């Protein structure tokens, strides 16, 4: 099969389109013919070696954890799926090596769910990691109907899905973004505010009594600003600030979860969740996709078509 691989830790320029043996399919796994693979900032962070202290990484490394595709083979006792099933998933395994930037990936069934019909292959590939992150973060702060939530970096991959999930729950959403993304946030159902100096005052302009919960999808002091605005200081969860728990909030690291993934699929099929795909590039242009991701200005998601 063709895949995008790295021989050792490196960057976009080190990515190579290579021919590798098709993956073996272990018990409890299925073989997925990849239609599209989502790009996430963690892909290039892992490739650069930033996660080396916390995660086993083996080479050659095929990057990528997000996938949409069709089941082409079924391992022993992988009874959840059959050949021909259309699936999507966050295929994070026990160590990083055989990722989704490839024509085929062997995926543990615990990482997959049935692809929602309402999403295209590209949209479905953009949904799992970012959608699960947003969903699990929202659950961690216990967001409820009628509450007001502040979402930092609401226009990005995690943020654009988080806004929609919070709106679907019946929350009022205030989201931070640069002005060029304000109409985009309004379309998703959020009230936009510009980030940077004076953010707390601008949020108070919209919500004079403060907010019930806050989600930090960017870092850069967002937990501190949130705690100035929260009625209860512990109702902030961050995906970027490892000190969030030490300061009385929560730190979330997304987990593969087939039930949560099925919830996202149900929201999509109910017309409450879509995946804005800003860039869809062919697998051979992964390096360009990474450069776009690294610029930090993505509106929604970047995906690779396979
Ligand atoms: N812990 C976990 O499990 C987990 C999971 C997923 C992601 N992450 C991390 O979370 C971060 C976000 O991930 P992502 O996939 O959403 O990234 P992304 O799609 O690349 O985010 C890009 C967005 O960030 C916005 N942005 C940039 N600087 C900002 C600021 N100071 N305040 C508010 N918004 C700002 C940009 O909006 P403008 O163009 O309008 O500025 C852009 O829309 C990354 O660091 C990623 O590695 C962690």
């Amino acid at each position: 099969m063709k895949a995008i691989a790295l021989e050792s830790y490196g960057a976009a320029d080190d990515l190579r389109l290579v021919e590798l043996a098709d993956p073996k399919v272990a018990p409890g796994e299925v073989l997925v013919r990849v239609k599209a693979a989502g790009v996430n900032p963690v892909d290039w962070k892992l490739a650069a070696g930033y996660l080396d202290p916390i995660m086993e990484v083996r080479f050659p490394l095929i990057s990528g954890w997000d996938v949409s595709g069709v089941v082409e083979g079924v391992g022993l006792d992988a009874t959840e799926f059959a050949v021909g099933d259309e699936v999507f998933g966050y295929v994070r395994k026990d160590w990083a090596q055989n990722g989704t930037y490839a024509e085929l990936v062997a995926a543990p069934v615990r990482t997959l769910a049935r692809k929602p019909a309402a999403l295209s292959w590209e949209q479905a590939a953009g949904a799992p990691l970012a959608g699960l992150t947003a969903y699990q973060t929202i659950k961690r702060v216990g967001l409820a109907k009628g509450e007001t939530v502040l979402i930092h970096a609401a226009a990005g991959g995690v943020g654009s899905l988080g806004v929609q999930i919070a709106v679907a729950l019946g929350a009022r959403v205030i989201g931070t973004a640069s002005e060029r993304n304000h109409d985009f946030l309004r379309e998703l159902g959020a009230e936009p505010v510009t980030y940077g100096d004076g953010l707390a005052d601008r949020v108070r302009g919209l919500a004079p009594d403060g907010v019930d919960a806050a989600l930090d999808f960017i870092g850069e002091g967002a937990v501190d600003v949130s705690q100035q605005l929260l009625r209860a200081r512990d109702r902030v969860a961050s995906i970027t600030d490892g000190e969030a728990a030490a300061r009385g909030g929560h730190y979330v690291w997304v987990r593969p979860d087939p039930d949560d993934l099925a919830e996202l699929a149900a929201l999509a099929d109910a017309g409450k969740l879509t995946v804005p795909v800003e860039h869809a590039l062919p697998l051979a242009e992964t390096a360009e996709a990474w450069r776009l991701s690294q610029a930090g200005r993505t509106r929604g998601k970047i995906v690779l078509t396979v």
Side-chain angles (χ1 to χ4, degrees), residues 1 3-9 18 20-21 23-24 43 46-47 55-65 91-102 104-106:
M1 66 166 184
I4 293 285
L6 281 160
E7 284 303 323
S8 59
Y9 282 133
V18 294
L20 293 171
K24 291 182 187 172
D43 299 348
L46 182 127
M55 188 172 288
E56 176 77 13
V57 181
R58 299 183 188 167
F59 296 92
L61 167 70
I62 304 172
S63 294
W65 280 333
V91 189
R92 199 180 95 212
K93 308 183 205 179
D94 293 341
W95 66 84
Q97 181 169 35
N98 294 301
T100 59
Y101 292 9
L104 293 165
V105 66

Side-chain angles (χ1 to χ4, degrees), residues 22-264:
D22 291 357
K24 291 182 187 172
V25 188
E29 291 186 346
V30 296
L31 185 66
V32 177
R33 171 71 56 182
V34 179
K35 293 279 193 182
V39 172
N40 290 285
V42 73
D43 299 348
W44 47 264
K45 292 180 184 179
L46 182 127
Y50 301 161
L51 275 62
D52 192 72
I54 61 164
M55 188 172 288
E56 176 77 13
V57 181
R58 299 183 188 167
F59 296 92
L61 167 70
I62 304 172
S63 294
W65 280 333
D66 267 346
V67 73
S68 66
V70 181
V71 173
E72 190 165 295
V74 178
L76 291 171
D77 197 26
T79 54
E80 289 86 342
F81 297 102
V83 170
D85 284 349
E86 299 187 347
V87 294
F88 74 140
Y90 166 38
V91 189
R92 199 180 95 212
K93 308 183 205 179
D94 293 341
W95 66 84
Q97 181 169 35
N98 294 301
T100 59
Y101 292 9
E103 290 177 320
L104 293 165
V105 66
V109 293
R110 64 179 169 79
T111 66
L112 298 175
R114 279 164 216 288
K115 171 189 164 291
L119 298 184
S120 67
W121 293 111
E122 288 80 10
Q123 289 174 316
L129 192 155
L132 288 173
T133 304
Y135 187 64
Q136 292 169 5
T137 309
I138 284 170
K139 283 202 289 189
R140 191 71 70 88
V141 297
L143 186 65
K145 187 175 180 175
E147 290 190 324
T148 299
V149 61
L150 172 63
I151 300 185
H152 299 269
V158 181
S160 61
L161 298 179
V163 167
Q164 297 175 76
I165 295 165
V167 167
L169 263 175
R172 175 188 178 198
V173 181
I174 298 172
T176 74
S178 60
E179 279 186 22
R180 71 185 185 96
N181 281 323
H182 283 196
D183 282 343
F184 173 65
L185 290 195
R186 285 188 194 98
E187 283 163 26
L188 297 177
E191 295 164 56
V193 284
T194 306
Y195 53 80
D197 286 346
L199 173 60
D201 291 336
R202 287 190 289 280
V203 174
R204 273 197 206 90
L206 293 171
D209 296 333
V211 300
D212 298 296
L215 313 177
D216 166 22
F217 298 150
I218 188 68
E220 302 187 16
V223 170
D224 287 340
V225 177
S226 300
Q227 286 183 324
Q228 294 168 32
L229 292 159
L230 283 166
R231 289 189 263 275
R233 283 172 59 84
D234 65 333
R235 292 193 70 195
V236 57
S238 177
I239 62 169
T240 52
D241 184 346
E243 300 301 309
R247 280 185 278 125
H250 304 264
Y251 178 72
V252 173
W253 225 91
V254 57
R255 296 181 184 181
D257 186 310
D259 297 327
D260 287 356
L261 209 47
E263 290 288 335
L264 296 176

